[in-house]
Amino acid sequence: MFAKHTGHPDQISDITPHPCETWPDNGRGFRETLDRIGDKWSVLVIGILSQGPLRFGILHQRVPGVSQRMLTLTLRHLERDGIVSRTVYAEVPPRVEYQLTPLGESLRETVRALAQWVTDHNDEIEDSRRNYDTR
Amino acid sequence: MFAKHTGHPDQISDITPHPCETWPDNGRGFRETLDRIGDKWSVLVIGILSQGPLRFGILHQRVPGVSQRMLTLTLRHLERDGIVSRTVYAEVPPRVEYQLTPLGESLRETVRALAQWVTDHNDEIEDSRRNYDTR
DNA sequence: CAGCATCCAGCCCGATACTG
DNA sequence: CAGTATCGGGCTGGATGCTG
């Protein structure tokens, strides 16, 4: 599917010391999983759920700009991947709560680190953009 | 670009104890920056560049599945954001090298942690998917 | 309340062709 | 080698309306 490199000799410009340190393997699954984590809403949802379980409505309010449809889809995907669990309470009106699974918990720190980085460097990046745009 | 939400009233329903612990602020920039990091190729490119500077062609070979067009676009975006720098050498044939800026370097650990997580839990996730799909 | 179904506009991104 | 230009299909994702 990929790695169909044209077969020329690796004329690596010897800049990097460790040639083995390339990407994990280019496996199909790797890409797929990365896409899931990297999609438009997952990180936000995981970040918010890392504070505790929440029901659908609250989640909807807390993720700025997400539509009902996309929140539902995102949650289904995360559920499918075993990152989030869904609990339906037999009440009326219906209540559904979402929370991180242990697998999801293990993503917590990473996601928060990412969010932290974005928060910390946001200004810097916006400056860079303005600079780049006006030249 | 987005966030043209119809302006619904904030009727937050007081369920959570700490109202401050929400997302950084829902700022426009935050979403935008997160989108950049989270887009299809950025993480891969940053991960590879974190091993050292590379020229365009090599990068193209090392990022599995990326088209020339998307690699160019991704690099332009990262350059605009100040994460990657681009150096053109006045030679023939032309040589252009890309490397992480200090800002990009500061993303290194986070990105590698993310990649590591995906690698570590990929199997688990694929199992979960299979399980989810057959019920 | 939580959500699915439907419609459909817009962009993402790959394929292809061309240039300095 | 390292791009730019252009085209077009597919998928993303918002809006709306309807259910249990």
Side-chain angles (χ1 to χ4, degrees):
Chain A
M1 174 182 183
F2 14 56
K4 60 188 233 189
H5 49 108
T6 32
H8 49 68
D10 285 355
Q11 40 155 349
I12 296 180
S13 53
D14 77 5
I15 285 184
T16 63
H18 30 243
C20 49
E21 270 288 42
T22 321
W23 265 118
D25 80 61
N26 324 339
R28 319 112 314 208
F30 184 80
R31 238 278 59 116
E32 229 175 299
T33 300
L34 193 56
D35 281 345
R36 180 73 54 248
I37 306 301
D39 82 4
K40 194 171 183 180
W41 305 107
S42 293
V43 168
L44 271 341
V45 169
I46 293 169
I48 291 184
L49 285 181
S50 77
Q51 302 159 217
L54 281 181
R55 52 194 301 182
F56 187 87
I58 312 295
L59 212 38
H60 191 195
Q61 295 170 166
R62 296 249 185 124
V63 182
V66 74
S67 66
Q68 191 183 44
R69 169 187 161 81
M70 288 317 297
L71 181 55
T72 302
L73 284 178
T74 301
L75 288 167
R76 287 296 170 278
H77 288 151
L78 293 174
E79 190 192 356
R80 184 170 105 103
D81 287 359
I83 290 172
V84 155
S85 70
R86 177 173 182 271
T87 312
V88 182
Y89 295 90
E91 307 171 353
V92 8
R95 179 162 62 104
V96 180
E97 283 205 341
Y98 294 91
Q99 68 181 313
L100 295 184
T101 62
L103 179 58
E105 295 283 347
S106 73
L107 237 187
R108 209 158 152 169
E109 282 317 306
T110 304
V111 162
R112 288 194 90 68
L114 183 60
Q116 194 60 50
W117 187 92
V118 173
T119 303
D120 290 347
H121 299 277
N122 206 9
D123 291 347
E124 206 172 335
I125 289 175
E126 292 191 343
D127 286 349
S128 177
R129 282 176 190 160
R130 265 188 294 277
N131 185 348
Y132 184 96
D133 291 341
T134 62
R135 28 145 250 187
Chain B
M1 174 186 183
F2 53 67
K4 69 184 235 178
H5 50 115
T6 32
H8 46 75
D10 287 350
Q11 41 160 335
I12 296 180
S13 69
D14 79 3
I15 284 185
T16 64
H18 32 243
C20 50
E21 267 290 41
T22 322
W23 266 118
D25 82 60
N26 323 342
R28 323 108 312 205
F30 185 80
R31 229 302 37 127
E32 230 175 298
T33 300
L34 193 57
D35 281 345
R36 179 73 53 247
I37 306 300
D39 83 3
K40 195 170 182 182
W41 305 107
S42 292
V43 168
L44 273 340
V45 169
I46 293 169
I48 290 183
L49 285 182
S50 77
Q51 301 158 220
L54 281 181
R55 53 194 299 182
F56 187 88
I58 312 295
L59 212 38
H60 192 194
Q61 295 171 166
R62 297 245 186 126
V63 182
V66 74
S67 66
Q68 195 182 41
R69 168 188 161 82
M70 287 318 295
L71 182 54
T72 301
L73 284 179
T74 301
L75 287 168
R76 288 294 171 280
H77 288 151
L78 292 174
E79 191 193 356
R80 184 169 106 103
D81 287 359
I83 290 171
V84 157
S85 69
R86 178 173 181 271
T87 312
V88 182
Y89 295 89
E91 306 172 354
V92 6
R95 180 163 62 103
V96 180
E97 283 204 342
Y98 294 90
Q99 67 182 315
L100 295 185
T101 62
L103 180 58
E105 294 284 348
S106 72
L107 237 186
R108 210 159 154 169
E109 282 317 306
T110 304
V111 161
R112 289 194 89 69
L114 183 60
Q116 193 59 49
W117 187 91
V118 173
T119 304
D120 290 346
H121 299 277
N122 205 9
D123 290 347
E124 206 172 335
I125 289 175
E126 292 190 345
D127 286 350
S128 177
R129 283 178 189 158
R130 264 187 296 279
N131 185 348
Y132 185 96
D133 292 340
T134 61
R135 30 146 246 186

